[in-house]
Amino acid sequence: MTSTHAFWLAGRQANGEDTFDVTSPWDGRLVGKVSVPTDAQVEEAVAAAYAVRDEFAATPAHVRAAALDHVSRRLVERTEEIAQLISAENGKPIKWARGEVGRAVSVFRFAAEEARRFNGGEAQRLDTDAGGQGRLALTRRFPKGVVLGIAPFNFPLNLCAHKIAPAIAAGVPIILKPAPATPLSGLIIGDLLAESELPAGAWSILPVANDHMPALVQDERLPVISFTGSEKVGYAIMDSVPRKHCTLELGGNGAAVVLGDYSSEADLDWAATRIATFSNYQGGQSCISVQRVIVDASVYDRLLPRIVAAVEAQVTGDPSDAKTDVGPLVSEAAAQRVESWVQEAVDAGAALLTGGKRDGASYAPTVLTDVPADVTISCEEVFGPVLTVTKVDGEAAAFAAANDSKYGLQAGVFTHDVQVAFRAHRALEVGGVVIGDVPSYRADQMPYGGAKQSGVGREGVKFAMDDYTYERVLVLTGLAL
């Protein structure tokens, strides 16, 4: 069953003159038709957001929190419907799609909680010096301006939620552009927000084509840009608007480090299972999926066959089947790119232990060893179901290998030694270190973002709210403190 979806303009449903088809990457079937806003309608959305910014900033916290709570509840009520939609337009296995809806439920709930406690003000006495006698500073946060949120295809609901929910919680108008390949999940959020009492213009969801983005990026009425996507596009946006505030959540080639103390049969089975699962979940299309496995020599020979067996046990196929672990990539072109990178590595001397086969948009879960350091798959984010395994001698070599990347999003370290955990936290040049598990763990309330070329700024509800606002000080004079 397919349907035509209108976009959301200034809080109301609207239709453009043209439509485009959203098709399933699994079987090519039509999932839905999406109405495209005209240039005039895009201008209307920007003008409405700009006009409502003061009103929205002054909206009582309980109104914003109620809208966010409403969306969270409605996502719960419509979980299966929305999960089926995510799976259809994205190709994500249904079990992972259901998990994504659950995460979005939490994002809106966290945002409702933060809306109620955000910006209460922090008082600071100033009479610590004689010139400040009788004075008190009160610091509160105010919006930097309308946010342009740009979301990717790999988590088409939850990463839209991570743009919209913090903006509403902080009283900041937002214009959201969902990914062209997966606009339907983001538009569902519009359906739910339209049932709330937020002022018109506080949010719009505009599924415009990528070639329409430069004008929005350059628009001076949109001084804040929150982008999640590729390194190339993210830095091109930042370079084009050097005076705007940009938050960039970009790529990674996540390292899972397995150290020598992680050596029991149960330890190695756990590590292999987690590595195989989170190299291939979402088809490997996650910024924190496992791409590089760095293993101490003392356990390498025991762990490697376990990893291969666990990868081969991943169930591939129809994403609508609850048993499926790995579905297709977002497009056949994406799978062809992964195929070419693997072939390049093999041609340069890498050993292909399993996988390495493409069928349309699907690519078989793949394990490589002996991968040269200068091939593309060693240097870039593969964004596909491929992992490389490297042998090292000792902790220092393992951490150096993990850091030998232009990216620094998250890393996982399998160890039982708490001292090693703290050394890893100090040594690894990443935004997050996960001990005893893969780098693919993300709690939606924690600060999330990277170092080096993995981006600028932090997502996570409270941290995004801080990012969308700035501190303004009020000094009160003549007080009897």
Side-chain angles (χ1 to χ4, degrees):
M1 180 179 179
T2 62
S3 58
T4 299
H5 296 260
F7 61 91
W8 286 96
L9 171 64
R12 61 180 173 80
Q13 210 167 30
N15 288 286
E17 297 175 353
D18 299 319
T19 63
F20 67 92
D21 294 344
V22 178
T23 58
S24 166
W26 168 246
D27 56 14
R29 68 182 173 88
L30 181 66
V31 179
K33 289 182 175 291
V34 175
S35 183
V36 180
T38 64
D39 290 345
Q41 289 167 328
V42 171
E43 168 58 27
E44 182 184 343
V46 174
Y50 187 75
V52 81
R53 66 195 191 284
D54 290 339
E55 176 189 347
F56 193 36
T59 301
H62 72 88
V63 174
R64 289 178 276 115
L68 293 161
D69 275 330
H70 173 80
V71 174
S72 184
R73 287 192 302 269
R74 294 286 284 136
L75 286 170
V76 172
E77 294 167 1
R78 296 176 63 178
T79 291
E80 188 58 26
E81 169 202 348
I82 297 170
Q84 294 286 350
L85 181 63
I86 292 170
S87 183
E89 70 170 344
N90 174 277
K92 181 174 298 192
I94 187 63
K95 68 178 183 180
W96 294 115
R98 289 171 180 145
E100 181 174 347
V101 179
R103 289 181 60 188
V105 168
S106 296
V107 168
F108 279 96
R109 187 183 77 248
F110 295 145
E113 295 166 355
E114 292 295 343
R116 293 184 174 96
R117 57 177 168 250
F118 183 69
N119 206 22
E122 178 181 342
Q124 181 180 23
R125 63 186 307 156
L126 302 177
D127 61 355
T128 51
D129 290 302
Q133 187 169 337
R135 297 178 187 267
L136 180 75
L138 180 66
T139 303
R140 297 169 62 199
R141 301 192 70 88
F142 292 86
K144 293 174 180 174
V146 181
V147 174
L148 172 61
I150 307 170
F153 70 81
N154 56 327
F155 289 85
L157 179 74
N158 198 43
L159 293 182
C160 287
H162 268 287
K163 306 300 182 191
I164 292 174
I168 291 172
V172 181
I174 182 167
I175 291 173
L176 176 77
K177 178 202 174 296
T182 56
L184 303 177
S185 303
L187 291 169
I188 286 286
I189 296 176
D191 290 345
L192 306 183
L193 283 172
E195 299 168 353
S196 74
E197 297 182 1
L198 296 177
W203 55 273
S204 292
I205 301 175
L206 304 178
V208 296
N210 287 341
D211 60 8
H212 280 62
M213 287 311 297
L216 281 172
V217 167
Q218 294 293 329
D219 197 307
E220 293 183 358
R221 295 168 294 178
L222 308 176
V224 180
I225 298 174
S226 178
F227 172 86
T228 301
S230 73
E231 170 199 358
K232 178 180 178 181
V233 175
Y235 283 119
I237 288 172
M238 175 177 278
D239 290 345
S240 74
V241 285
R243 290 179 176 82
K244 288 196 176 190
H245 179 86
C246 294
T247 297
L248 306 179
E249 198 284 283
L250 307 177
N253 54 2
V257 175
V258 184
L259 295 177
D261 71 295
Y262 215 79
S263 59
S264 73
E265 298 298 306
D267 285 344
L268 297 177
D269 286 343
W270 164 257
T273 299
R274 298 296 284 177
I275 287 166
T277 298
F278 289 96
S279 173
N280 296 293
Y281 85 127
Q282 328 288 340
Q285 297 169 124
S286 168
C287 298
I288 48 176
S289 66
V290 179
Q291 182 170 332
R292 298 178 296 144
V293 185
I294 299 164
V295 186
D296 188 87
S298 65
V299 295
Y300 180 89
D301 290 338
R302 295 166 59 211
L303 179 62
L304 181 58
R306 284 175 162 88
I307 291 174
V308 173
V311 167
E312 291 178 341
Q314 295 285 300
V315 178
T316 62
D318 185 346
S320 67
D321 188 333
K323 296 178 181 177
T324 296
D325 299 310
V326 187
L329 276 70
V330 72
S331 67
E332 185 168 1
Q336 289 171 336
R337 177 189 55 77
V338 173
E339 180 181 41
S340 70
W341 288 14
V342 171
Q343 189 60 53
E344 177 199 20
V346 171
D347 290 345
L352 176 64
L353 303 189
T354 190
K357 297 179 181 179
R358 182 180 66 83
D359 181 8
S362 297
Y363 195 80
T366 298
V367 179
L368 298 167
T369 60
D370 304 318
V371 181
D374 59 348
V375 299
T376 306
I377 212 162
S378 293
C379 304
E380 301 293 338
E381 179 181 42
V382 66
F383 227 57
V386 180
L387 63 84
T388 66
V389 187
T390 302
K391 182 193 298 186
V392 295
D393 288 310
E395 174 191 318
F399 292 167
N403 284 337
D404 187 18
S405 171
K406 66 179 180 178
Y407 297 113
L409 191 47
Q410 292 199 162
V413 180
F414 289 89
T415 181
H416 294 297
D417 189 330
V418 69
Q419 296 294 339
V420 172
F422 279 97
R423 289 199 295 269
H425 196 208
R426 180 178 294 277
L428 294 174
E429 299 166 352
V430 293
V433 178
V434 183
I435 300 298
D437 207 350
V438 292
S440 315
Y441 175 78
R442 177 182 180 182
D444 292 287
Q445 72 271 40
M446 76 182 191
Y448 177 76
K452 298 189 281 189
Q453 292 185 42
S454 283
V456 178
R458 291 295 180 267
E459 291 185 345
V461 175
K462 176 183 180 297
F463 304 92
M465 292 169 70
D466 286 344
D467 209 49
Y468 292 167
T469 57
Y470 70 97
E471 294 171 319
R472 186 185 298 167
V473 177
L474 175 68
V475 177
L476 302 174
T477 304
L479 303 178
L481 297 176

